[in-house]
Amino acid sequence: MRRDVRRVAILGGGITGLSAAFYLKRLAKERGREIDVVVLEKSGRLGGKVNTLRKNGFVIERGPDSFLGRKLPMLRLARELGLLDELTGTNPQATKTYLAMDGRLQPMPKGLNLGIPNDLGAFARNSVVSPRGKLRALDELRLPPKEDDADETVGGFLERRLGREMVERVAEPLLAGIHAGNLYRLGLKATFPQFAEMERKHGSVIRGMIEARKTAPAAGAKAAEARSAAVGGAKIPPTAFLTFRNGLSTLIEALEEKLREEGAEIRLGAEVAAIARMEERGRGSAEAASAPAAAYRLTLADGSTLEADDVLLTLPGYATAELLSPHVDVGALRIDYVSVANVVFAYDAKGFNHKLDGSGFLVPHGEGRTITASTWTSSKWGHTAPAGKRLIRCYVGHADDQSAVELSDEEMTAAVRRDIRELMGLTAEPEFVEITRLRRSMPQYPVGHADRVAAFRAELASRLPGVYATGAPFDGVGLPDCVQMAKEAAERMLADEA
């Protein structure tokens, strides 16, 4: 790093850290300023949970497999990296999703959005919920809204509004899987704040969903046209979920290449063990601009040190908490994390005895299965398997039972194959199996999380000016959310030193 320009250390080389480094360099250049950036990644690879395996012509995601196309931060980043032509959408023929119920797969009920009725006629024909459960859910239309604005659990909210059966049979497999969590421990404001807003605005979450359906932006091709306009007119696939033809790691690889081109330093195997404040200095003053000493010294696990004017932590909450606990109250970051695993099976089409007529299925926890869901990957995403091959991904582990994640490879494979044999009737032998364990990977936002995070950030800014923290532990686990948080952090850092 040069010492005559401001120096920033970014801890974590996942999508948040790399995006923050990219935007720091890009925004500083646009404003006629120069900034040195170093990315410190503990592991031996970049990308964090984004991890694409390209094997024998298959494109296998070991972590997330896509992102929501309606969330523009990912599209804008893809545009800036020249990757819009690499985007691909889901198979338009694979729209059917199934629900495991009483040991067999049933088509997912229609007339629902996020597990809440938005088409009463279609909901009345729902075969998953009992007549009594439907009547209880429809009672929601006449229930008074909650009087106060206090946070509550997602499960508590939905049970209060729609009844227990709707939570267990519909909402839990749909919503809990996003966080691998227990709906009765996840805070509403940090996960699904739109539900509380609908209750406040419409007096009923069902009424709010019906209104949202009426006023929703045009779907399909028209929605894609709107997204296209937002990124300069490039053609965007007209599907809700998007990815890259060669996998999500395409984005990570492009970020790394661009950062190295622009002179950013990237260190792998660089674990930060401590952050120490070196001295008080006036930020943004002439003294700060010319001072020979940096504001912070980072001590790495190997004993080496690095000095920086600003520090951005994009680590898991527990890792950020360990580094900042000597300086500020880190209670907001000491949240639970759930471990999960992905089990991917690759098959030859010959002898494959299932038609894969959809995108996959969800499994309510009450079914007592090892798997929580399965994506019929080669059906949902046409680019993921060579001609004449099939690819299936199954998910293991959730907040109430993480024990299956620690099964041996042989035990996990056998348990997952038993589930798909009993639910799908699939008996074909896979060509190979890929297992990825993602330990402590899914943050569980508790009740009151948003308020505690706001208080933490205020104290951090006061006690450690120039130290910032962002990423999945704070405001969202989706890839576009992480990119947006990264850009906002970069803008905040540049504004604070102006």
Side-chain angles (χ1 to χ4, degrees):
M1 283 186 176
R2 290 171 52 192
R3 191 60 202 97
D4 58 338
V5 297
R6 199 149 192 87
R7 305 184 298 182
V8 178
I10 297 177
L11 280 57
I15 190 169
T16 308
L18 294 176
S19 298
F22 171 81
Y23 280 116
L24 272 170
K25 298 292 284 187
R26 174 64 56 89
L27 294 171
K29 185 176 181 180
E30 290 174 357
R31 298 170 190 183
R33 295 155 67 182
E34 192 172 357
I35 191 167
D36 274 339
V37 175
V38 59
V39 177
L40 304 172
E41 167 54 42
K42 174 182 176 180
S43 74
R45 54 171 290 274
L46 297 173
K49 290 191 284 291
V50 176
N51 187 359
T52 305
L53 172 67
R54 294 138 185 163
K55 179 176 179 179
N56 300 344
F58 291 91
V59 178
I60 297 169
E61 298 292 2
R62 290 165 157 166
D65 70 353
S66 59
F67 59 92
L68 278 170
R70 64 178 172 80
K71 292 192 172 184
L72 298 180
M74 274 286 282
L75 296 181
R76 290 177 175 139
L77 179 58
R79 178 193 181 188
E80 293 181 87
L81 292 170
L83 297 177
L84 288 180
D85 289 343
E86 296 296 315
L87 288 172
T88 187
T90 53
N91 175 7
Q93 305 303 316
T95 58
K96 188 182 295 184
T97 302
Y98 290 89
L99 184 67
M101 192 63 63
D102 301 324
R104 62 188 181 90
L105 298 184
Q106 301 185 40
M108 183 67 70
K110 297 185 182 300
L112 299 169
N113 184 12
L114 295 175
I116 295 172
N118 67 350
D119 182 331
L120 299 186
F123 178 66
R125 297 187 292 273
N126 186 317
S127 61
V128 170
V129 182
S130 71
R132 183 176 180 179
K134 293 176 193 174
L135 289 173
R136 169 61 186 88
L138 294 176
D139 275 348
E140 197 269 345
L141 289 164
R142 61 182 181 81
L143 292 178
K146 187 161 71 83
E147 294 183 0
D148 62 72
D149 190 40
D151 198 7
E152 59 187 311
T153 68
V154 179
F157 173 88
L158 293 175
E159 182 172 346
R160 175 170 62 81
R161 298 303 307 179
L162 301 170
R164 182 82 180 192
E165 185 178 343
M166 282 290 290
V167 177
E168 293 178 346
R169 287 186 168 255
V170 178
E172 180 265 316
L174 278 169
L175 304 182
I178 297 172
H179 298 272
N182 182 319
L183 293 184
Y184 288 94
R185 293 200 290 271
L186 291 173
L188 187 69
K189 288 185 177 181
T191 52
F192 299 98
Q194 65 269 42
F195 292 168
E197 177 60 25
M198 287 176 180
E199 182 184 31
R200 284 193 298 270
K201 183 176 179 180
H202 300 282
S204 157
V205 70
I206 292 179
R207 194 173 293 116
M209 277 294 182
I210 292 173
E211 289 301 313
R213 182 172 178 240
K214 292 178 182 177
T215 60
K222 290 186 177 179
E225 288 175 8
R227 296 199 298 257
S228 174
V231 291
K235 186 176 181 181
I236 304 297
T239 58
F241 292 93
L242 300 172
T243 188
F244 300 96
R245 290 188 181 91
N246 209 25
L248 286 172
S249 286
T250 300
L251 184 73
I252 302 301
E253 292 155 359
L255 282 168
E256 179 184 9
E257 181 180 2
K258 181 61 69 174
L259 286 171
R260 293 192 186 279
E261 283 178 4
E262 295 182 352
E265 182 182 359
I266 297 174
R267 298 189 193 178
L268 299 178
E271 179 182 2
V272 176
I275 300 173
R277 190 170 184 179
M278 296 176 66
E279 62 178 51
E280 297 283 348
R281 289 198 285 113
R283 301 181 61 78
S285 66
E287 176 193 0
S290 61
Y296 296 95
R297 175 178 288 124
L298 310 183
T299 302
L300 277 62
D302 63 4
S304 63
T305 61
L306 180 148
E307 295 180 359
D309 300 290
D310 300 280
V311 180
L312 173 62
L313 295 92
T314 68
L315 306 171
Y318 50 84
T320 294
E322 290 304 310
L323 290 171
L324 296 183
S325 60
H327 310 286
V328 296
D329 181 355
V330 295
L333 302 180
R334 297 198 184 281
I335 59 178
D336 291 334
Y337 274 73
V338 170
S339 298
V340 295
N342 299 318
V343 185
V344 176
F345 299 99
Y347 300 88
D348 191 275
K350 186 177 180 180
F352 187 85
N353 58 319
H354 194 282
K355 56 186 177 180
L356 298 184
D357 60 337
S359 61
F361 62 90
L362 302 171
V363 184
H365 297 170
E367 289 292 296
R369 298 285 177 178
T370 299
I371 62 175
T372 60
S374 175
T375 299
W376 297 342
T377 308
S378 56
S379 174
K380 184 176 181 180
W381 301 101
H383 68 284
T384 59
K389 303 294 182 180
R390 303 289 184 268
L391 196 66
I392 291 177
R393 182 161 86 153
C394 297
Y395 305 84
V396 172
H398 56 84
D400 295 329
D401 185 4
Q402 302 171 61
S403 60
V405 176
E406 301 306 328
L407 293 173
S408 69
D409 285 1
E410 294 76 14
E411 291 170 325
M412 189 182 298
T413 298
V416 172
R417 289 195 67 193
R418 180 172 59 250
D419 281 350
I420 60 177
R421 181 177 66 249
E422 293 176 358
L423 291 171
M424 296 173 58
L426 180 62
T427 58
E429 289 288 329
E431 290 187 344
F432 64 84
V433 181
E434 288 288 339
I435 295 176
T436 304
R437 292 174 177 82
L438 299 166
R439 293 181 176 89
R440 298 184 77 185
S441 62
M442 304 297 289
Q444 307 294 293
Y445 306 136
V447 170
H449 181 67
D451 291 339
R452 283 192 287 272
V453 162
F456 161 78
R457 281 181 163 152
E459 184 182 4
L460 182 64
S462 173
R463 296 197 177 186
L464 295 179
V467 175
Y468 306 82
T470 196
F474 296 93
D475 301 314
V477 297
L479 299 183
D481 300 317
C482 291
V483 172
Q484 179 65 25
M485 286 185 280
K487 186 175 183 181
E488 290 173 352
E491 290 172 338
R492 193 160 55 247
M493 295 172 81
L494 291 172
D496 285 351
E497 65 181 73

